Amino acid sequence: MFTKHKRVSLLSYWTSRYVLTLLIGLGFVFLISILWVRHTTLEYRLEMMEYMTDEMIHRITNNESPGAGKGRDIPNFIDEKDRPNFRDINPVMYIADAEGNVLTSNRPFNPVPNIKFADFLSHSEGVVKTTIDGEALYMVKREIISEEETLGYLFVVETKAILVQVKQEFGQLTLLIVTLGLLGWCAIYYLSKRLSRPIKNVAEAAKLVQEGNYNFELPSLIKEKEVYELVTSFKEMATKLEQLEKTRTQLLAGVTHELKTPVTSISGLLQAVQDGVVTDADADEFIQMALVETTKMKTMVGDLLAFNTFAVDAVPVHMTTMDANDCIQSIVARWGATRETFEIIVHKLQTNVEVRVDQVRIQQIITNILTNAAQAMNNKGTLTISLNEQYEFVHVNIQDNGSGIPEADQPFVFERFYRGENKKYAVRGLGLGLPLSKMMAQSIGGDLQLISSDKNGTCFEILLKKE
């Protein structure tokens, strides 16, 4: 029983179809070539028959033939040496009298039977096609004229089957078609194999990725643009998946660690109070410490819930129109009010420009960036906030003079749950601050970008859409 929708390899699929198309095309060419060769051969040989007839008439009327009579007589026989010789054809010649009665032939023992030449006397001179006993014949007729009197007729007759018979040409044509077919098949096989090999490699690599194995190699020296883009895109996708897999593992470990620590602290503090290990003022202090840890855990859970809300595009946004200078200045002032160890410099716009923002969201974004900057500078240093206007956006650049983000971590700063090696163990968190800030910036029609980062500091840029 045949399997429905049976899968076949790309090499077999395209090779078989290309070869079938090639064979059909070559078969059509072969058929047309045969018909053309037969036609041209027939035309050529009919011209030769006419030439042979004219040459024979010339010999007869000029008494050059040994069998020719004198004066007004016509030959009583035709010798083989009396007629022109041609390699491809050897037609039968008949000499008839004025009434169409056959007088002689060059092959008296092998004449074409049942031809009544009297029926053709009224035909004009030239090539005549007729059928005798179901066999197609071609006949060339010429008058034998001497002293302006018709003495008789010369008929040159040959069957169509012999006139169109071509053996050597058909053999050469068949050899040519077969050679072209083999060369075409080899070329098609080579090109199909060249095309299918990288696709097959990608399919095998996809199986490895499915099994969680990202250690594979794919060719990079590929000339075909589409195949090169396929291989390159797959490599990039696999790298991304590998990074996401690592991030997922780190997330699980990070969330477990970050939530386990406050839970353990809360449990220990409350257990000490319950067991009477601490009393009075110490007990109140332990309870206060437990509340602080509870607040931290509540904040982390809130970050997870907020990120999930933004990820499914369920962000509540309330857009308002504000002056860009006043908006940024007020947010920075509130953040820096309790941070006397920082020098904060704000470069405002020269003119008043209004922007469309959600006041709560933009405050969350700027506060998060400033807090990250404070951590990078170990809570002391200089923060520079610069505003400039370009086209339909106001650009807000926040520059710190901290230690910077390692170059290896920079492509992933906006990846959810990603935390760099330098920050992973120094600061507690889930790695959702920057991804969440970018989502909020995009939700209000702007964006958040990392402009630069090195050992001299880091610069983030917020885009706010103008009114």
Side-chain angles (χ1 to χ4, degrees):
M1 180 180 292
F2 294 99
T3 303
K4 189 176 181 180
H5 303 305
K6 182 180 179 181
R7 306 297 180 189
V8 296
S9 67
L10 184 66
L11 180 62
S12 300
Y13 183 87
W14 286 112
T15 300
S16 60
R17 280 154 179 76
Y18 284 154
V19 168
L20 179 61
T21 304
L22 179 65
L23 292 178
I24 293 175
L26 290 178
F28 181 75
V29 171
F30 183 72
L31 178 62
I32 296 299
S33 299
I34 289 177
L35 295 177
W36 180 79
V37 169
R38 286 169 61 92
H39 174 75
T40 54
T41 301
L42 177 62
E43 293 291 329
Y44 169 74
R45 289 178 176 175
L46 288 177
E47 290 178 1
M48 292 299 100
M49 285 177 60
E50 289 190 275
Y51 175 79
M52 181 183 296
T53 305
D54 292 337
E55 181 68 16
M56 194 64 189
I57 289 293
H58 175 75
R59 294 183 180 185
I60 292 173
T61 55
N62 287 278
N63 295 323
E64 294 179 3
S65 174
K70 302 297 182 182
R72 299 166 62 87
D73 295 333
I74 57 177
N76 53 13
F77 71 92
I78 302 175
D79 199 331
E80 287 294 328
K81 64 181 180 179
D82 294 336
R83 64 182 185 84
N85 293 315
F86 294 92
R87 179 174 59 87
D88 295 332
I89 57 174
N90 185 26
V92 182
M93 291 185 173
Y94 296 92
I95 295 179
D97 59 19
E99 285 76 29
N101 299 312
V102 176
L103 300 177
T104 185
S105 171
N106 66 326
R107 283 183 284 175
F109 302 104
N110 187 27
V112 178
N114 302 325
I115 300 180
K116 297 180 180 180
F117 293 106
D119 297 338
F120 297 96
L121 298 182
S122 60
H123 286 71
S124 59
E125 291 189 351
V127 179
V128 179
K129 182 179 180 181
T130 185
T131 302
I132 304 297
D133 295 336
E135 186 173 21
L137 303 174
Y138 283 92
M139 176 190 306
V140 179
K141 166 195 164 188
R142 290 287 190 274
E143 290 184 78
I144 302 175
I145 300 175
S146 178
E147 298 178 1
E148 298 183 356
E149 180 181 353
T150 300
L151 303 180
Y153 297 91
L154 175 63
F155 295 93
V156 179
V157 182
E158 188 60 278
T159 63
K160 181 180 179 180
I162 294 177
L163 289 176
V164 299
Q165 184 178 15
V166 182
K167 295 181 180 180
Q168 183 177 1
E169 285 79 357
F170 284 172
Q172 294 174 347
L173 180 61
T174 303
L175 179 61
L176 177 62
I177 293 295
V178 171
T179 302
L180 289 176
L182 290 175
L183 290 175
W185 179 83
C186 292
I188 289 168
Y189 181 83
Y190 171 76
L191 294 175
S192 298
K193 189 173 182 179
R194 178 184 175 87
L195 176 64
S196 64
R197 185 184 297 112
I199 298 177
K200 183 179 179 181
N201 293 338
V202 170
E204 292 174 351
K207 292 180 180 178
L208 294 176
V209 172
Q210 185 179 7
E211 297 170 357
N213 183 4
Y214 297 94
N215 295 322
F216 58 83
E217 293 184 2
L218 291 175
S220 56
L221 298 176
I222 301 175
K223 295 182 179 180
E224 295 81 2
K225 179 181 177 182
E226 293 78 6
V227 179
Y228 174 79
E229 291 177 350
L230 171 66
V231 173
T232 303
S233 299
F234 183 84
K235 287 181 179 178
E236 294 175 354
M237 182 195 69
T239 303
K240 190 80 169 179
L241 287 175
E242 184 178 14
Q243 181 61 47
L244 290 175
E245 183 68 20
K246 291 180 180 178
T247 302
R248 184 181 67 84
T249 304
Q250 293 173 356
L251 166 66
L252 182 59
V255 171
T256 303
H257 173 74
E258 295 297 336
L259 294 180
K260 180 181 179 181
T261 301
V263 169
T264 302
S265 298
I266 294 170
S267 176
L269 292 169
L270 295 179
Q271 188 68 42
V273 175
Q274 182 181 14
D275 294 343
V277 175
V278 291
T279 58
D280 301 330
D282 291 336
D284 292 339
E285 185 179 353
F286 271 45
I287 292 174
Q288 187 62 37
M289 292 170 61
L291 290 174
V292 172
E293 292 297 326
T294 302
T295 302
K296 292 180 180 179
M297 187 169 63
K298 181 180 177 181
T299 301
M300 286 188 286
V301 174
D303 288 344
L304 287 172
L305 293 175
F307 184 83
N308 182 67
T309 301
F310 276 82
V312 296
D313 294 328
V315 185
V317 175
H318 304 284
M319 303 297 289
T320 58
T321 301
M322 300 183 64
D323 180 76
N325 288 331
D326 294 342
C327 176
I328 302 302
Q329 179 66 51
S330 62
I331 295 172
V332 173
R334 283 195 297 271
W335 181 86
T338 59
R339 293 173 171 83
E340 298 179 356
T341 57
F342 292 99
E343 180 185 0
I344 302 176
I345 303 172
V346 179
H347 299 289
K348 298 181 181 180
L349 295 171
Q350 297 297 320
T351 58
N352 294 331
V353 178
E354 292 186 337
V355 291
R356 289 281 293 172
V357 295
D358 182 319
Q359 191 171 3
V360 175
R361 302 304 176 195
I362 190 61
Q363 182 175 351
Q364 288 178 300
I365 296 169
I366 294 177
T367 299
N368 183 54
I369 296 175
L370 292 175
T371 302
N372 287 347
Q375 294 170 354
M377 295 187 296
N378 295 321
N379 293 316
K380 60 180 178 180
T382 302
L383 282 167
T384 304
I385 295 91
S386 304
L387 284 74
N388 59 84
E389 180 184 2
Q390 293 183 16
Y391 303 107
E392 71 270 24
F393 290 102
V394 170
H395 297 244
V396 182
N397 292 81
I398 301 176
Q399 174 77 50
D400 64 55
N401 60 352
S403 58
I405 303 171
E407 186 175 353
D409 295 337
Q410 291 180 22
F412 309 105
V413 293
F414 294 111
E415 291 292 336
R416 60 193 71 179
F417 307 114
Y418 182 82
R419 304 185 70 205
E421 292 297 325
N422 294 345
K423 192 176 180 181
K424 185 180 300 182
Y425 303 107
V427 181
R428 293 173 60 182
L430 298 176
L432 291 175
L434 286 175
L436 189 57
S437 297
K438 188 175 182 68
M439 284 185 177
M440 287 189 288
Q442 292 175 342
S443 70
I444 60 176
D447 200 1
L448 173 63
Q449 302 171 349
L450 173 63
I451 301 302
S452 63
S453 185
D454 53 34
K455 62 181 181 180
N456 297 319
T458 301
C459 180
F460 280 93
E461 183 178 69
I462 306 170
L463 302 182
L464 301 178
K465 197 169 183 63
K466 292 164 56 177
E467 174 60 30

